[in-house]
Amino acid sequence: MDLSRASLVALSRASFGALRGAMFRDLGLNAASVLQEAGYAGGAELFDAFAAWLSTRGFGAPETLAASDFAARATEFFGEIGWGSLELSAAGPVATIDSSNWAEADPAQPMEFPCCYYTSGALADFFGRLAGQPLAVMEVECRSSGQERCRFLVGSGDVLQAVYDGMGRGESYLEVLGAQ
Ligand SMILES: [Zn+2]
């Protein structure tokens, strides 16, 4: 992967972790929306980098891949650029993205809530481009908040709002999604 041609920069996990830690220390919960905005802003270049990466391997455009091929290639791509492993699946009306070693999570900086906000922003733009329509992403499990994996839900804004509201009432996201 030629990072500079793909408009990407390499950043060490330690550096990214320090940046996030300082933002939560100094901005409090405002850090969440700042990180999300930054991630979202990079979605286009990330998607283009994935398309170019596919092309050098003889695959077509991302949106032309069969779902199983897409899952396999996306896993390989995000792993290769250092974010970690991921598994794609579905829970009722949403897609799920799970990772047991995602680079934004840091169990050494424990947080009360899932807090891979940069990733949530980046994935929202990335999958929105893939789907050709705006999508929302919400993280519902996170290694930073004591869970074994990070789990992101990808779906329409309405569905994820309902999940958010349901969780606020004490329901689990699986209950709200009818995916128990
Ligand atoms: Zn996380």
Side-chain angles (χ1 to χ4, degrees), residues 105 116 139 142-143 150:
C116 295
E139 191 183 26
C142 185
R143 286 192 306 119
C150 294

Side-chain angles (χ1 to χ4, degrees), residues 2-160:
D2 183 333
L3 292 181
S4 120
R5 275 182 70 177
S7 298
L8 301 177
V9 292
L11 182 71
S12 72
R13 284 191 180 211
S15 191
F16 186 42
L19 181 64
R20 289 176 63 256
M23 287 176 75
F24 281 106
R25 182 191 66 212
D26 294 346
L27 302 178
L29 290 178
N30 289 334
S33 55
V34 174
L35 283 162
Q36 204 168 5
E37 182 181 333
Y40 197 84
E45 284 171 333
L46 196 58
F47 190 79
D48 288 348
F50 180 50
W53 181 92
L54 284 172
S55 157
T56 60
R57 282 157 182 75
F59 292 99
E63 56 273 25
T64 65
L65 295 181
S68 58
D69 276 345
F70 175 83
R73 299 288 87 76
T75 298
E76 207 180 325
F77 172 73
F78 281 103
E80 195 171 296
I81 62 172
W83 281 106
S85 65
L86 52 81
E87 253 175 75
L88 280 79
S89 186
V94 302
T96 59
I97 301 174
D98 296 342
S99 178
S100 57
N101 58 358
W102 199 251
E104 187 171 0
D106 183 3
Q109 292 187 63
M111 303 285 289
E112 203 176 335
F113 303 105
C115 69
C116 295
Y117 291 107
Y118 178 91
T119 301
S120 298
L123 293 179
D125 187 84
F126 185 90
F127 282 93
R129 281 170 199 283
L130 182 73
Q133 62 182 41
L135 289 176
V137 169
M138 184 166 88
E139 191 183 26
V140 291
E141 296 177 35
C142 185
R143 286 192 306 119
S144 292
S145 54
Q147 275 116 354
E148 301 215 327
R149 63 182 177 187
C150 294
R151 165 167 269 199
F152 303 91
L153 306 182
V154 185
S156 73
D158 287 351
V159 169
L160 291 191

